[in-house]
Amino acid sequence: MVTAVRHLGPNWYASVMGTAIVATAGIALPVHLPGLRTICAAVWLLSLAVLLILLCARALHWRHHRDQARAHLLDAAMAPFYGCLAMALLAVGGGALTVGRYWIGTTAAVALDTVLFTAGTAVGLAAAITVPYLMGVRQKADPRQATPVWLLPLVAPMVSAALGPLLVPHLPAGQPRETLLLACFAMFGLSLLATLAMLPLVFARIVTGGPLPLALTPTLFLVLGPLGQSTTAVGKFADVAPGVVAAPYSQGFGVLAVLYGVPVMGFALLWLGLATAHVVRAGRHGMRFAMTWWAFTFPVGTCVTGAEALARHTGLVAYDWLATGLFLALVAAWATAALHTARGVVSGALLAGPRPAHVAPLPVRVRTTSGAVR
């Protein structure tokens, strides 16, 4: 077991995020299907189980393979995935209140979400500061190598902003509720502005630097994360603001949910089309399964919850249909990624170390008997 976790990186937490979002997005669908609540609760329980397993495995990784863990932290390609740890904690915690409470009860769900939200927010804020610092000081990241993975530590506070309002009604009225709501609003601004600073690097790399490597092409879907999650967040602010903050600020959150959410969701759909075109191209060029396929899950799930929020605050049936269509795509992506991951774990292929690069022999110049140089 100790040897098996040597190459287990923080990117594995994406599987927890992708599983939890299926449950939380499914429970809020406008379509009420028999057994949907039970299925969503079972999927949430699966995400909790996977989170606990990964936390134990990563603890073994840090204890017995500290050299590899430090190498991950100092690697510009791997370090941003520490944002996934924060988002995994937050996603499972939020799912406890929206879905898990039907199985474990509201009291236990509030307690579990409080612990996971606190831990996830602390880790997310630390990652949002530490990872960009290491990229600039220790890793010397090259802008020509920018990928959507760089957004991961910056998106984590946005997940806190979107899921924190779930705890607001469970706090004492007055200052505690208002403090948590405005703290979530502050994290919304923190993440949004940091994403707006980083996103041009990613977009410029895609437009001017050519297609991403095949294995990294699915990470284009990561850009949907801050777009869908921020739309979800402003919708949640509007849901809980009445009675928590004074007028006219409570009404202002309702206005923000629509005036911000509608155009951002429009850009998300544009990016979804662009990312899908790149993935189709990569598939034609032989793209094979990698853990990056989990990028097809959580970011799409945030667009589902964002569309659900817009449906609540605009009353438009079009957003109900959008949420339902995106959810079907989410379920298909989750099933595909989960199946391939399970196969890779059973076979050991996903836990094996990277293959050594094949080094071609250097060309040698020789002089033949005729005097010609080859």
Side-chain angles (χ1 to χ4, degrees), residues 105-124:
T106 301
T107 302
V110 171
L112 179 59
D113 187 25
T114 300
V115 172
L116 295 180
F117 175 78
T118 302
T121 299
V123 173

Side-chain angles (χ1 to χ4, degrees), residues 8-157:
L8 188 74
N11 56 320
W12 280 74
Y13 286 113
S15 62
V16 178
M17 299 158 51
T19 303
I21 198 69
V22 172
T24 53
I27 201 68
L29 282 176
V31 179
H32 300 286
L33 299 176
L36 179 61
R37 178 185 297 180
T38 302
I39 294 173
C40 289
V43 173
W44 171 79
L45 192 62
L46 175 62
S47 71
L48 175 60
V50 176
L51 174 63
L52 294 175
I53 292 171
L54 281 177
L55 287 174
C56 293
R58 286 286 297 165
L60 289 174
H61 177 85
W62 269 97
R63 180 175 181 179
H64 297 283
H65 305 288
R66 190 156 305 196
D67 61 325
Q68 186 75 350
R70 286 180 58 84
H72 285 165
L73 191 59
L74 297 177
D75 183 0
M78 185 61 72
F81 283 102
Y82 274 92
C84 290
L85 167 58
M87 291 186 280
L89 295 169
L90 293 164
V92 174
L97 272 182
T98 57
V99 185
R101 62 189 176 92
Y102 297 116
W103 277 18
I104 65 176
T106 301
T107 302
V110 171
L112 179 59
D113 187 25
T114 300
V115 172
L116 295 180
F117 175 78
T118 302
T121 299
V123 173
L125 291 174
I129 297 172
T130 304
V131 174
Y133 172 80
L134 290 175
M135 291 175 67
V137 175
R138 296 292 299 275
Q139 300 163 0
K140 302 296 177 61
D142 188 340
R144 294 171 297 180
Q145 298 175 342
T147 71
V149 172
W150 289 10
L151 294 171
L152 287 174
L154 306 178
V155 178

Side-chain angles (χ1 to χ4, degrees), residues 277-304:
H278 274 266
V279 168
V280 170
R281 174 196 172 276
R284 291 176 177 174
H285 284 75
M287 180 183 68
R288 296 183 178 181
F289 175 75
M291 288 300 290
T292 53
W293 281 32
W294 282 100
F296 296 139
T297 56
F298 188 80
V300 175
T302 66
C303 291
V304 176

